[in-house]
Amino acid sequence: MSLSQTDVRRGELRGGGAQTTNTPQNLMVFVLSMALFGLSNIILEVIPDITIGPVDFSVSYFVFVPITLAALVSPFWVALGAPLGEIIFTDLLMGDFSGLAEVEGFIQMFLAIYIAGSVIRNPLSRGQIVLGSLLVVGIDKFLSAAVDLAKVWVGVEDAEFVQGLPESVLLLEGIGFVVDLLMSGVLFGAIPALWLIPALYRRIEPMLGLQPREPGRRIPGSVPRAGWFVAVAILAGIGSFFFAFLEAWDVEVGSVEGDFREQFGDGFLWVSVGAIVVVLIIASILFAVWRKRRGARER
């Protein structure tokens, strides 16, 4: 039975009934997000940054990786896995792990991907894809800039000034925000996502045993439409400030400072790549065994 126009509109705007997922499916989405985002950050390690005056023209992350997964499968599990993949595969394994201070970036990126992925109700809507890509960078960098300004305001860090522009820390944060939005949000976010998401729609979901996102059906793992989530998100954003201040106060609980890349060169990046491949192989085998057993039970 086909959906009426009212049902379609209700599904796109309000969500309708939700489909369900199993724990192995959620874990597979989690591992896939962790591995792919970790791999994308390893690639960024070998791309040089361009600095013009006080402004860095660099790519913070490949936004199209998490936003594509979040738009097609579960925003929550993608948001949980992506920042963890960066921490494990490009910080911890490279010997550049700040311990508890890393929680700041984890919270900010989790909120950014979770909210942005939930905004995309229709994977074929170009406007929603662009908005989602920009929201990932916008939320993450806004919180990061707020943390930097708070450090200067409290006095735990000195402000960065530009000659001829007194008290320019706010201007520098604003310029950096716009650059990140254009480089990461548009060039390496919205533009490739506009092609990837429609291309993978209805193709990647069956591989994970998931039903494609449809009108009238709320995707599992999306942001709950409740006032309490807004309060929790605000508190989590504020809470990230505390962990950021730990680094400014030189509190290095659980930090790892090996600088392995400086010792062994760029070739050491292959250690992280190998770890990603091993994790993906193990997760894929376990997931395939689970699907086989589930199929046998359903016969």
Side-chain angles (χ1 to χ4, degrees):
M1 182 175 64
S2 61
L3 292 171
S4 67
Q5 189 65 28
T6 303
D7 292 329
V8 171
R9 187 173 184 274
R10 183 182 296 116
E12 292 176 348
L13 298 181
R14 300 193 181 115
Q19 66 185 83
T20 59
T21 57
N22 295 303
T23 299
Q25 292 171 316
N26 293 330
L27 291 178
M28 190 62 205
V29 172
F30 169 79
V31 171
L32 189 63
S33 172
M34 184 174 65
L36 292 181
F37 196 65
L39 181 61
S40 69
N41 279 276
I42 293 174
I43 295 174
L44 281 176
E45 290 290 324
V46 298
I47 298 178
D49 297 337
I50 300 175
T51 302
I52 301 178
V55 182
D56 291 329
F57 292 88
S58 60
V59 182
S60 299
Y61 30 67
F62 289 142
V63 172
F64 69 88
V65 174
I67 198 62
T68 297
L69 290 175
L72 297 175
V73 286
S74 171
F76 176 81
W77 290 100
V78 172
L80 200 63
L84 188 61
E86 179 183 4
I87 291 174
I88 293 176
F89 298 118
T90 59
D91 293 335
L92 186 59
L93 289 182
M94 292 296 105
D96 187 22
F97 181 65
S98 302
L100 283 179
E102 297 286 352
V103 177
E104 174 212 354
F106 179 90
I107 292 175
Q108 293 170 358
M109 182 57 71
F110 169 80
L111 289 174
I113 298 174
Y114 189 24
I115 295 173
S118 300
V119 164
I120 303 177
R121 306 290 183 84
N122 179 9
L124 300 179
S125 170
R126 291 180 173 270
Q128 292 181 20
I129 292 174
V130 172
L131 177 60
S133 301
L134 295 178
L135 276 177
V136 172
V137 182
I139 295 173
D140 177 52
K141 294 304 179 181
F142 173 80
L143 292 174
S144 180
V147 167
D148 293 339
L149 292 173
K151 289 179 181 178
V152 174
W153 181 65
V154 174
V156 296
E157 283 190 1
D158 296 328
E160 296 183 10
F161 298 115
V162 179
Q163 186 175 2
L165 294 174
E167 304 296 320
S168 58
V169 61
L170 185 59
L171 176 62
L172 289 178
E173 290 291 347
I175 294 175
F177 181 83
V178 173
V179 170
D180 284 327
L181 208 59
L182 293 175
M183 296 289 290
S184 300
V186 177
L187 189 60
F188 289 94
I191 293 177
L194 284 170
W195 173 77
L196 268 177
I197 293 176
L200 294 177
Y201 180 52
R202 296 183 178 275
R203 291 178 175 85
I204 191 174
E205 301 94 337
M207 296 173 61
L208 298 171
L210 299 171
Q211 295 181 2
R213 182 178 293 193
E214 297 284 358
R217 180 181 296 154
R218 181 173 173 269
I219 192 170
S222 57
V223 168
R225 284 174 286 281
W228 64 263
F229 174 77
V230 177
V232 171
I234 293 174
L235 289 175
I238 296 174
S240 69
F241 285 40
F242 169 75
F243 294 100
F245 277 80
L246 289 180
E247 187 175 14
W249 291 328
D250 295 326
V251 178
E252 300 178 350
V253 178
S255 63
V256 176
E257 297 181 357
D259 293 329
F260 302 133
R261 189 182 171 194
E262 291 186 5
Q263 296 180 39
F264 304 105
D266 289 343
F268 195 78
L269 293 172
W270 287 103
V271 173
S272 291
V273 175
I276 290 173
V277 172
V278 170
V279 169
L280 274 177
I281 290 175
I282 294 175
S284 299
I285 292 174
L286 293 176
F287 185 69
V289 171
W290 171 79
R291 291 196 66 178
K292 184 177 180 179
R293 289 179 177 176
R294 189 183 69 166
R297 289 196 301 265
E298 291 176 351
R299 290 193 186 96

